Amino acid sequence: MMLHFIRHGDTLQNIADQINLENPVYIKEFHNQKCSGEDYISEDLVVGKKLFLPDSVTVQNYNSRNDAPFKNPEKNPKLNFLPVNSDLKYKVNIKESSFDNGKKSENSFSYDFSLKWIRSEYNHHTFQFSKTNFSNIKEKLGDLASGCLQSLNPIRLETNWEGEIEAINISEKTLKNFPKIKEKLLDQFPDKYAKIYIDEFEYAVLNQELFQKKMNQDWLLKTFFAPIRKPFKNGKSHFKIFLENKNSEIEIEQKGILNNEVDEVVLSQGLMSDDKENDFTGKYILSAETGLIKSLEITNSYSEYDVSYSTEMKIDQI
């Protein structure tokens, strides 16, 4: 048995972490069995009072009960990825904002996307992916960009068994017809600046390595197909993702959240460690049976050269 005097900031959880006790409720149980009446803990810890803590052998005995909250099966979900015969449609809403010298600017837009399973072979799944119905794009450049993207529909995606993208390809039919596609885009957007953009777009389309790189920077693709299905241990799983500021890679900590819907798995995400330049939160709702995403919400904020940026994205199945 060990004696501890309660300090400011002490909680059952952080004390349990210090002595490697998995379930913090046993601190109160052990103490109340050993203490006098005046030191009995009914609810909160009281600063300055004694706290009797279990020794290492007793801690091991408590841990052997395997009843710590983080060992709850709902907090350690086994996530499937079973997309066979799926044909899904989603609505995407994105809000981008920046704050510079007291001036705030915002840009919001939305679009739909479809994801249709085609086949499974050689340890990967193949899908058709399309973006459509762009709205609230106010600038001409936005219309041009969305028009260029939609001209490539459908794009072919290949994922591994856990739903992570392995390849992004333009269909042979689209590549074959691209001269006509480009001609149509030039007719639709006839000014000289649009021609520069379309020429650059053509170069990216015909350069597979560059096309893959640009597509992998797409916020939808890198969050919807993020490695969220990694195994959980003690209520947590971890994965890395590249964000938009300087392509910095951060580590995300993911937790399973208890909920009343037996057919859903809810995941909460945050940064693995404190980061003064980045702030990231996420919430995913998946089908418990197939592991396919029903909805997700992502917020990412960062600062660069004294300018603050923020991206909020919400995706819902329709």
Side-chain angles (χ1 to χ4, degrees):
M1 183 172 66
M2 299 175 288
L3 179 62
H4 173 82
F5 287 93
I6 300 170
R7 300 185 294 264
H8 287 285
D10 277 348
T11 65
L12 294 178
Q13 183 61 63
N14 63 34
I15 294 173
D17 291 341
Q18 293 172 29
I19 62 174
N20 297 316
L21 177 64
E22 294 178 347
N23 195 337
V25 299
Y26 291 124
I27 291 179
K28 186 185 293 187
E29 177 183 300
F30 181 87
H31 170 82
N32 287 340
Q33 290 173 350
K34 306 294 183 182
C35 72
S36 61
E38 63 183 13
D39 290 320
Y40 189 89
I41 298 175
S42 56
E43 293 185 9
D44 298 331
L45 299 180
V46 178
V47 174
K49 282 202 169 188
K50 299 176 183 178
L51 182 65
F52 294 108
L53 299 177
D55 58 31
S56 59
V57 174
T58 307
V59 167
Q60 289 180 12
N61 290 334
Y62 281 138
N63 289 347
S64 68
R65 299 179 183 182
N66 286 318
D67 61 354
F70 62 72
K71 292 191 173 182
N72 187 305
E74 286 190 63
K75 292 192 173 185
N76 296 273
K78 294 182 179 179
L79 300 176
N80 300 311
F81 186 64
L82 304 173
V84 176
N85 296 324
S86 60
D87 188 359
L88 305 173
K89 293 179 174 58
Y90 295 86
K91 170 66 72 176
V92 181
N93 289 281
I94 296 178
K95 179 181 177 181
E96 300 172 329
S97 59
S98 63
F99 193 79
D100 183 13
N101 288 326
K103 183 179 180 181
K104 185 176 183 180
S105 61
E106 292 185 350
N107 177 41
S108 299
F109 59 96
S110 65
Y111 57 87
D112 298 342
F113 80 90
S114 62
L115 187 68
K116 183 178 182 180
W117 177 88
I118 302 300
R119 62 180 176 271
S120 299
E121 58 184 358
Y122 305 120
N123 296 323
H124 67 251
H125 298 288
T126 301
F127 299 87
Q128 282 186 351
F129 170 83
S130 299
K131 287 185 179 182
T132 57
N133 299 328
F134 285 80
S135 63
N136 297 328
I137 297 181
K138 300 177 181 179
E139 298 180 2
K140 186 173 182 180
L141 182 59
D143 291 332
L144 174 57
S146 62
C148 288
L149 283 174
Q150 292 181 88
S151 73
L152 300 180
N153 291 336
I155 293 171
R156 188 172 72 250
L157 302 180
E158 294 180 3
T159 73
N160 61 19
W161 288 143
E162 295 181 334
E164 302 164 39
I165 288 181
E166 293 186 331
I168 306 172
N169 298 295
I170 301 171
S171 71
E172 292 182 6
K173 181 180 178 181
T174 299
L175 287 174
K176 183 179 179 180
N177 292 333
F178 194 78
K180 293 182 179 179
I181 292 172
K182 180 181 178 182
E183 183 179 348
K184 184 177 179 180
L185 288 170
L186 290 171
D187 286 341
Q188 187 177 357
F189 303 97
D191 67 74
K192 62 179 181 179
Y193 299 107
K195 184 180 185 308
I196 294 173
Y197 185 95
I198 294 170
D199 286 342
E200 293 177 348
F201 175 67
E202 178 186 32
Y203 180 75
V205 167
L206 300 181
N207 184 321
Q208 180 61 23
E209 183 177 350
L210 178 59
F211 178 75
Q212 292 246 10
K213 181 178 180 180
K214 286 185 173 294
M215 292 300 291
N216 283 327
Q217 293 172 349
D218 183 281
W219 255 94
L220 166 63
L221 295 181
K222 65 184 177 181
T223 55
F224 193 87
F225 296 97
I228 61 174
R229 299 174 183 86
K230 299 294 184 184
F232 279 73
K233 183 179 180 181
N234 293 338
K236 300 175 183 178
S237 71
H238 303 94
F239 65 90
K240 294 181 179 180
I241 187 172
F242 281 95
L243 296 180
E244 51 200 340
N245 51 319
K246 298 181 180 179
N247 286 327
S248 60
E249 187 180 46
I250 62 168
E251 189 168 6
I252 301 298
E253 182 173 89
Q254 189 168 247
K255 298 179 181 180
I257 304 298
L258 300 178
N259 71 98
N260 297 322
E261 302 295 333
V262 296
D263 61 337
E264 293 181 348
V265 175
V266 181
L267 306 177
S268 174
Q269 299 174 346
L271 291 177
M272 177 67 179
S273 58
D274 292 335
D275 189 330
K276 295 181 180 180
E277 293 186 355
N278 296 300
D279 186 23
F280 181 95
T281 60
K283 179 183 178 182
Y284 285 64
I285 299 179
L286 289 73
S287 163
E289 180 180 1
T290 65
L292 298 175
I293 293 173
K294 291 186 172 183
S295 68
L296 71 85
E297 296 180 37
I298 294 289
T299 300
N300 176 59
S301 303
Y302 68 94
S303 297
E304 193 171 43
Y305 302 116
D306 296 324
V307 181
S308 298
Y309 300 92
S310 177
T311 299
E312 300 174 28
M313 182 171 69
K314 192 172 187 300
I315 301 175
D316 293 293
Q317 193 172 341
I318 55 178

